[in-house]
Amino acid sequence: MNKDSISNFINNEKIENLSRWLEQGFINEDFSPFLLNDRSSAAVQLKYLFDILNTAQQNKFKSAVALSIQNWKLNDDPSILTDLVILTSYVDAYDTIKALENILKSQSNGDAVEIKYEVAVEKIISTLFGFAKSGIEVLRIQKLFEKLFFGYFDRRYAVQLFIGLCICNPKQYPKYLAQFFDLYEETKDLYNLDIVVKTFLHTVPPNILREEFISLGFTYQDKLKNIAYAKPFFDFNEKYTSSAPQAKYRVEDSRRIKRELMSLENKKKLIETSLDVVKKKLYPQVVAIYLFSKEGNLYRAGISGVDSQSNLVKKWFEEPHYSLSNKEDESFIVRAAKNEESQFLNYFEEEALPKKIWDSYSEVLGGLRCGMAFPLDGKNRTYGVLVIMNKIDQKTGNIMLNSCAFSDEEYSWFSEISSLIAIAMSSFHRGEQDKLENDLSKLLVADSPKEKVYQEVVKRLTSENTGFKACVLRLKNEKEELEVIEVYAHANNDEEREKILSRRINRAIRPEAKAFHSEVEKYLKPEKFLIDESTIGKFSENQKWVRENKFKSFGCFPLVAGDDFFGTISLYSAYDYNFYSSYDNFLERVTTLLASFILRVKRGEQIENVIAEEIGHIKEIVREENFGKKKNQINQELENLAGSLASISIGQMILSLSSYSSFD
Amino acid sequence: MTEWVRAMSKEDSMESKSALLNILYDSKSSSQETKETLGLFFNFIARSWNQDLAENIFSAFCKFTGDNDSYFCKGRDISETNQECSRVMDLGSFYNRYIDDRNYAWGIIKPGQELEPYQVETLEENDISIRKEGVTIRGNKPFAWVTKTAALAEITESLPQQEWGAEIRNQLGLNHHRLHDIVYIEIQYHLETVRNTNLRSPTFIEGYSCLGDFYEPVYRSFKAEDGWGSAVNLETYENGLPEAVHSPIEFGDGFTLRYIGKAFASNQPFSTQHLLNSFRPPWYDNLSQELIELINHNFQVTIGG
């Protein structure tokens, strides 16, 4: 059969006949004009054939090939399929995919499988590479490959599927590589890792390798770096490999996280964002932040995670506050706060959490396998604890219940993120402190009623973002007693607050009383101490109240302006509050501002008294002297003057009055 | 038999005249094994002539070997040679058939497709430890052509790499590759492997094994002193690279791979007339008669049997 006769043959025969003719060609070694059986260069011959066919003939030929594939059965000679598959290099992807799907379907039906089947599948997958590279049916091929790759299809094809997926969607390579590494760990004998990695590194474009490297989990990054062939490759991309650039990258990433967290002005948002950062970096099943309450207990301030079915948990179970001193509350979370060092959770250590809590988490998460807790250490205090429990396989999204462990790199990252969150919290608290100070400044210079100012000061000093549970303002009265002007306590509700305040004895302290207030007044310096059995006696009347509220630390600050002592502000904390220097300075500034306000109020009151007295004198003179018709007019003017003076702010009034030396 | 020889010697058939020249050359072989096989061939012709050979006299070669693998590699045994040998293959055929893509994952290597440097490095450095299981080195028919490794080295040492492919194709007489871009790979047989191989001088039996309608057989029987044959140089029609054949052997340890590279398609036509003219001695008018007498004298041919 020469070229012309082949051309005529293809023109004249139906597709079905051509298909049968092809099948014969693969079966029969002596089939003419081609040798398409499982020997030598069938593909070369077919390329020759294609070269002599016009487009219409080629399409007809392709249809015949596709039909042969469709007609292929496992009980036929599988070598036919092998060759047909090679032939499909010249056909289209759709039919090839269909062929593979048919084969897999047959296999799942338990039909006979022999070595030729393996070759056939191998060739089909290889052929699909070609289509993917050409951008033909890429999504469909990717979908099929992903289904097989992550569905743990016959692992002998894992390399092909892995590389094929990298061709289809190189940006997703971290997901595919991680899966491959896991498969390799389980079945090392099947693969030559060096060759696979070499192919992988030359399949994914270099820029994508660099850009997406960050998405590869630390464990897998390390695995990749440990492969000899990959090392020089990543040396080329020095940003990600040698220790110094790696550190640089790490620092840049840390700075980015830090900036993001520190830009947040809302505590709730700060916690939510922190949880998100941890999730993105470490893929825990659950991440939570525990903070110290004003009572000194740890409470769950935020939590985020998925349940055993990988569904986002929208409503979490109630979790009690943990006392650092109560043995029943002992847990790896409490230990992290108490010891100010990292703690770990292991699946076999059920005492890592209180039994009820362990069970609650196990129920939601499907089990507890691993976890870490890091203290959120600020400069002067520990804000709370960052906790992660269980890991998610970042490739599959499945919970890693069988091999849950955190690498050194992950541990390191967790530590760093904990620090960043603590820094952000510290920054947040400092911001809140500044805001409080600023608000008080405005309040104190404004023309506000002193009662309102006093109420606001004690209220703000016990607000959410301070460490104080109760505040007492005492001012010296005319009898030189330190009289309680305002008392306020932080509480969950007004009822609770009322209960706390009602138990307190608010008697004025006489000058001769031997209370610490006398020392404060005498030396004009704060009195600060931790409350224990050796110091509780200092509270005399309110010892019981201090005990009931379990206050642990106390500070009494003098209100001093110039040489004048006006009173004290006392602050109670329910935990071992350390009045460290920065907060001490803050309180000093607040008390100074308050003392200045009190001084101004007092002077204003003095001036008002003087003015009232002087106007009284004038009225007396007017009444005694005969001003005739002018009398009523003068009195009216005096009333107006008194009213005007009263309506002018004290500060302005002082300025106004200072410009007059007399009423002449 | 006589009729077949006469049909083959028709004036307008250069290929068949060349074939008769080759048959004559091989019929003078002193190897008993060769003689026995030729005897079987002549008897086959004698038996088959009246059945279906008349229509396609050239198909005799294909039909003779048929499904019987035992007729190949019956030339002189040269496996005791001290020469390392090499098989040159089209890369696509080699990769797609011999290499397990489940490990390499390079996909189908198409005809003319070159390898990337890392792939060349991988193939050359990783020996053939991840080859397919159970594959044997052989061609369409159950034997394989090889040449001397040293002879290939002479080419690769004297020419720039981009010329290796075309030069090797021409010197190996790979006429069926001439019209297309083909990438070649060399499978080098270690000496120990060569000695365990049934290495034989080629005869016309291998030279005219089925190639299909698109291929013009380019074969000229020749035997150097060491028993090696010689391919026909496609450009000069002179002797090209030495060649020998061997029976299928398992592809595994004992081989090294070397990437040769691409041979671009050649526009220069191959002339069967020139090939015929290049035979020594050349075609002469009473050759067919001489051949018939030689066959009748040296081989027991049963006419019609």
Side-chain angles (χ1 to χ4, degrees):
Chain A
M1 195 180 280
N2 58 31
K3 292 174 187 176
D4 288 338
S5 58
I6 286 176
S7 182
N8 289 334
F9 175 66
I10 291 176
N11 282 340
N12 298 332
E13 292 296 329
K14 290 180 180 175
I15 290 172
E16 290 75 11
N17 290 342
L18 284 176
S19 172
R20 280 194 289 274
W21 175 79
L22 265 174
E23 289 172 29
Q24 278 299 311
F26 286 108
I27 295 169
N28 187 352
E29 287 188 7
D30 296 328
F31 183 74
S32 181
F34 300 110
L35 293 168
L36 302 179
N37 56 69
D38 189 13
R39 311 282 158 79
S40 191
S41 52
V44 176
Q45 297 175 58
L46 289 163
K47 186 165 168 38
Y48 291 173
L49 173 67
F50 261 61
D51 287 346
I52 64 166
L53 301 180
N54 60 38
T55 307
Q57 290 171 324
Q58 286 182 355
N59 287 336
K60 193 170 181 181
F61 191 82
K62 285 177 183 178
S63 300
V65 172
L67 189 64
S68 298
I69 293 172
Q70 293 302 300
N71 291 337
W72 185 82
K73 301 284 188 300
L74 273 175
N75 56 359
D76 288 340
D77 181 353
S79 66
I80 300 171
L81 184 69
T82 309
D83 292 294
L84 282 174
V85 173
I86 293 171
L87 179 60
T88 52
S89 310
Y90 306 102
V91 194
D92 61 59
Y94 180 81
D95 297 304
T96 313
I97 295 168
K98 221 168 178 180
L100 180 55
E101 287 171 344
N102 283 345
I103 291 170
L104 301 178
K105 197 175 169 186
S106 303
Q107 191 206 26
S108 65
N109 289 341
D111 293 336
V113 173
E114 53 180 295
I115 192 164
K116 291 287 187 180
Y117 154 81
E118 296 175 22
V119 176
V121 176
E122 172 212 331
K123 287 300 172 200
I124 289 175
I125 296 174
S126 301
T127 305
L128 291 176
F129 279 26
F131 294 122
K133 282 177 184 170
S134 306
I136 301 168
E137 294 277 9
V138 176
L139 285 177
R140 192 176 166 138
I141 294 169
Q142 182 188 339
K143 195 175 168 189
L144 175 65
F145 281 8
E146 281 188 343
K147 186 179 165 189
L148 299 174
F149 192 46
F150 291 106
Y152 295 88
F153 173 65
D154 192 331
R155 295 186 181 195
R156 287 169 299 184
Y157 303 98
V159 178
Q160 283 186 293
L161 294 170
F162 164 50
I163 298 297
L165 283 166
C166 289
I167 292 168
C168 291
N169 191 350
K171 275 184 173 287
Q172 288 286 321
Y173 85 79
K175 186 170 126 182
Y176 305 139
L177 181 61
Q179 170 74 353
F180 180 76
F181 274 136
D182 285 354
L183 290 172
Y184 176 74
E185 284 302 317
E186 293 169 15
T187 44
K188 286 186 177 176
D189 293 343
L190 284 178
Y191 321 112
N192 181 323
L193 192 60
D194 282 344
I195 291 179
V196 177
V197 169
K198 195 182 282 191
T199 307
F200 155 70
L201 291 171
H202 289 276
T203 300
V204 177
N207 61 322
I208 295 178
L209 272 176
R210 285 193 296 272
E211 286 165 14
E212 302 301 324
F213 186 76
I214 188 173
S215 304
L216 192 63
F218 299 117
T219 311
Y220 303 113
Q221 286 181 9
D222 289 344
K223 282 176 190 280
L224 188 58
K225 288 176 198 167
N226 285 333
I227 295 167
Y229 187 82
K231 277 184 180 171
F233 184 92
F234 281 96
D235 282 341
F236 175 72
N237 303 297
E238 60 175 21
K239 185 176 179 184
Y240 301 102
T241 52
S242 66
S243 58
Q246 173 74 15
K248 187 182 170 194
Y249 160 71
R250 178 86 172 253
V251 168
E252 283 171 3
D253 205 30
S254 294
R255 286 182 62 196
R256 184 184 57 73
I257 294 170
K258 189 176 168 184
R259 277 199 301 274
E260 184 182 357
L261 294 179
M262 288 182 69
S263 69
L264 301 168
E265 295 179 350
N266 176 300
K267 195 171 186 177
K268 189 181 170 197
K269 189 74 184 163
L270 171 60
I271 289 170
E272 284 174 356
T273 308
S274 299
L275 298 177
D276 277 348
V277 167
V278 176
K279 281 201 286 188
K280 282 176 186 167
K281 282 283 172 196
L282 296 166
Y283 301 96
Q285 186 180 3
V286 62
V287 53
I289 289 176
Y290 293 80
L291 295 179
F292 278 111
S293 67
K294 280 185 182 289
E295 291 75 27
N297 296 328
L298 282 171
Y299 71 99
R300 197 180 70 199
I303 186 166
S304 178
V306 295
D307 63 18
S308 57
Q309 303 303 311
S310 299
N311 298 317
L312 190 69
V313 180
K314 290 179 181 169
K315 183 165 173 60
W316 286 87
F317 53 86
E318 288 286 327
E319 197 169 349
H321 288 205
Y322 299 116
S323 165
L324 266 58
S325 56
N326 188 345
K327 281 193 174 178
E328 289 179 5
D329 289 346
E330 185 71 13
S331 70
F332 81 117
I333 299 168
V334 167
R335 282 199 298 274
K338 197 156 66 176
N339 304 338
E340 296 185 359
E341 62 183 24
S342 55
Q343 298 290 323
F344 300 90
L345 176 146
N346 292 308
Y347 68 93
F348 49 82
E349 289 178 333
E350 292 196 2
E351 65 275 18
L353 282 169
K355 176 80 171 63
K356 191 179 170 187
I357 300 303
W358 177 283
D359 291 344
S360 298
Y361 274 113
S362 295
E363 188 182 344
V364 175
L365 306 182
L368 275 177
R369 291 294 183 273
C370 59
M372 286 196 284
F374 258 71
L376 298 171
D377 290 330
K379 184 182 175 187
N380 296 299
R381 58 183 282 211
T382 297
Y383 294 103
V385 182
L386 178 66
V387 178
I388 54 175
M389 285 182 275
N390 287 358
K391 274 180 79 173
I392 291 174
D393 186 330
Q394 57 170 300
K395 311 176 305 293
T396 62
N398 294 332
I399 318 299
M400 295 173 71
L401 289 178
N402 295 326
S403 57
C404 185
F406 295 99
S407 67
D408 289 347
E409 185 73 15
E410 287 168 327
Y411 173 82
S412 169
W413 256 114
F414 191 55
S415 167
E416 189 155 340
I417 292 174
S418 302
S419 299
L420 295 175
I421 293 172
I423 289 168
M425 286 201 163
S426 180
S427 168
F428 172 78
H429 282 287
R430 200 159 44 249
E432 287 298 302
Q433 204 179 85
D434 291 345
K435 198 175 164 193
L436 173 62
E437 194 177 330
N438 195 33
D439 288 351
L440 287 175
S441 300
K442 285 179 183 170
L443 188 71
L444 294 174
V445 298
D447 186 18
S448 307
K450 61 183 180 184
E451 293 78 11
K452 188 187 172 188
V453 170
Y454 297 152
Q455 281 173 9
E456 196 63 27
V457 167
V458 294
K459 194 174 173 181
R460 295 293 292 271
L461 283 175
T462 54
S463 63
E464 179 68 34
N465 297 308
T466 71
F468 310 119
K469 176 85 174 166
C471 179
V472 180
L473 171 66
R474 288 174 186 272
L475 293 180
K476 275 180 95 172
N477 60 19
E478 292 169 350
K479 299 175 189 173
E480 295 292 304
E481 294 171 337
L482 281 171
E483 185 181 338
V484 175
I485 304 298
E486 283 293 340
V487 184
Y488 198 79
H490 180 271
N492 293 322
N493 51 54
D494 289 341
E495 191 182 346
E496 186 185 316
R497 182 177 302 105
E498 183 60 33
K499 189 178 172 187
I500 295 171
L501 296 180
S502 66
R503 313 271 294 193
R504 184 184 155 80
I505 299 169
N506 291 318
R507 209 189 311 271
I509 298 172
R510 296 189 308 276
E512 63 273 21
K514 288 184 178 175
F516 49 79
H517 300 83
S518 306
E519 298 292 307
V520 173
E521 180 177 357
K522 185 177 177 182
Y523 298 108
L524 302 179
K525 284 188 177 173
E527 175 80 4
K528 298 174 284 190
F529 53 87
L530 294 177
I531 301 167
D532 54 25
E533 288 309 311
S534 67
T535 57
I536 194 148
K538 292 185 178 185
F539 291 105
S540 61
E541 292 180 330
N542 277 311
Q543 272 189 42
K544 193 178 175 187
W545 180 72
V546 169
R547 282 188 197 278
E548 279 175 356
N549 287 288
K550 298 178 182 172
F551 293 134
K552 294 285 171 33
S553 50
F554 174 79
C556 180
F557 296 82
L559 298 172
V560 182
D563 294 331
D564 295 331
F565 172 81
F566 297 112
T568 59
I569 277 188
S570 296
L571 292 162
Y572 296 81
S573 175
Y575 57 98
D576 298 344
Y577 191 89
N578 182 10
F579 289 91
Y580 46 85
S581 60
S582 67
Y583 220 87
D584 216 357
N585 293 339
F586 160 73
L587 288 172
E588 192 177 333
R589 288 195 296 276
V590 170
T591 53
T592 302
L593 277 169
L594 183 58
S596 301
F597 173 79
I598 294 167
L599 173 64
R600 204 180 70 199
V601 168
K602 281 191 175 299
R603 285 189 177 167
E605 286 174 347
Q606 285 170 355
I607 290 166
E608 278 180 17
N609 288 338
V610 169
I611 292 169
E613 193 177 336
E614 288 303 319
I615 288 176
H617 287 159
I618 294 168
K619 283 184 174 179
E620 189 71 22
I621 293 166
V622 169
R623 192 170 59 248
E624 290 174 358
E625 297 297 329
N626 186 11
F627 284 93
K629 290 180 181 176
K630 295 282 184 184
K631 187 177 179 181
N632 289 340
Q633 192 180 349
I634 291 170
N635 276 332
Q636 185 59 51
E637 287 298 327
L638 286 171
E639 290 296 325
N640 290 345
L641 176 62
S644 297
L645 290 172
S647 67
I648 300 169
S649 72
I650 292 171
Q652 287 173 315
M653 185 174 72
I654 292 168
L655 287 172
S656 303
L657 291 177
S658 66
S659 62
Y660 295 98
S661 56
S662 64
F663 280 96
D664 52 359
Chain B
M1 178 68 213
T2 306
E3 288 164 4
W4 180 76
V5 172
R6 285 182 179 149
M8 288 281 283
S9 62
K10 278 183 184 172
E11 204 170 320
D12 58 349
S13 176
M14 304 301 160
E15 293 98 328
S16 55
K17 285 178 181 170
S18 297
L20 291 178
L21 277 164
N22 285 325
I23 292 169
L24 180 63
Y25 186 96
D26 290 331
S27 298
K28 294 175 180 174
S29 169
S30 57
S31 163
Q32 188 58 32
E33 240 182 318
T34 307
K35 282 183 177 174
E36 286 173 9
T37 306
L38 294 187
L40 292 170
F41 174 72
F42 297 140
N43 273 290
F44 169 78
I45 298 292
R47 278 200 312 274
S48 307
W49 175 248
N50 289 327
Q51 294 166 23
D52 54 7
L53 283 186
E55 286 186 15
N56 188 350
I57 53 172
F58 226 79
S59 68
F61 298 103
C62 278
K63 290 186 182 297
F64 168 62
T65 51
D67 295 327
N68 195 332
D69 296 349
S70 64
Y71 298 144
F72 297 107
C73 300
K74 299 299 181 186
R76 177 178 151 192
D77 186 349
I78 55 174
S79 53
E80 289 304 312
T81 180
N82 282 324
Q83 293 280 346
E84 289 178 344
C85 68
S86 292
R87 175 162 167 76
V88 174
M89 279 191 77
D90 151 42
L91 176 73
S93 298
F94 168 78
Y95 184 86
N96 297 334
R97 303 285 176 182
Y98 293 3
I99 298 298
D100 195 341
D101 200 46
R102 290 179 300 182
N103 270 295
Y104 279 75
W106 296 348
I108 298 282
I109 303 288
K110 293 186 177 182
Q113 178 183 331
E114 290 187 273
L115 292 183
E116 292 183 43
Y118 86 90
Q119 291 174 315
V120 173
E121 182 186 289
T122 304
L123 270 186
E124 292 184 344
E125 287 184 359
N126 287 280
D127 59 52
I128 311 148
S129 57
I130 50 176
R131 67 194 178 280
K132 271 192 186 126
E133 285 181 21
V135 292
T136 54
I137 294 185
R138 55 170 284 171
N140 291 339
K141 292 289 179 178
F143 68 91
W145 293 95
V146 292
T147 187
K148 291 180 180 175
T149 305
L152 279 178
E154 281 182 28
I155 293 175
T156 55
E157 285 167 9
S158 62
L159 293 174
Q161 187 172 5
Q162 62 267 31
E163 295 178 19
W164 292 357
E167 183 65 18
I168 289 169
R169 175 195 63 201
N170 292 338
Q171 290 221 33
L172 282 175
L174 302 175
N175 189 39
H176 55 297
H177 287 170
R178 192 170 43 87
L179 298 176
H180 301 272
D181 292 351
I182 300 281
V183 177
Y184 290 114
I185 191 160
E186 176 189 359
I187 306 169
Q188 295 176 343
Y189 298 47
H190 300 170
L191 195 54
E192 191 64 24
T193 308
V194 178
R195 287 174 179 161
N196 291 326
T197 303
N198 178 30
L199 194 67
R200 301 292 181 125
S201 307
T203 68
F204 73 90
I205 300 289
E206 292 89 19
Y208 294 108
S209 66
C210 299
L211 289 170
D213 277 7
F214 290 124
Y215 307 146
E216 295 153 338
V218 178
Y219 174 76
R220 186 170 58 213
S221 285
F222 171 82
K223 213 171 290 156
E225 284 186 6
D226 60 1
W228 281 75
S230 176
V232 176
N233 188 319
L234 297 177
E235 287 199 324
T236 65
Y237 301 88
E238 299 294 320
N239 279 353
L241 284 162
E243 61 182 5
V245 292
H246 66 74
S247 305
I249 52 167
E250 192 179 346
F251 183 49
D253 297 332
F255 299 93
T256 301
L257 298 177
R258 186 165 73 135
Y259 185 71
I260 291 175
K262 184 178 267 190
F264 289 96
S266 168
N267 293 325
Q268 192 174 335
F270 182 79
S271 165
T272 50
Q273 180 66 60
H274 284 168
L275 175 63
L276 181 61
N277 294 345
S278 71
F279 276 78
R280 296 291 178 271
W283 176 260
Y284 46 95
D285 287 341
N286 63 343
L287 183 139
S288 54
Q289 188 57 39
E290 187 182 322
L291 180 60
I292 291 166
E293 287 172 8
L294 186 143
I295 292 169
N296 289 335
H297 187 259
N298 291 334
F299 301 91
Q300 291 186 335
V301 180
T302 309
I303 305 296

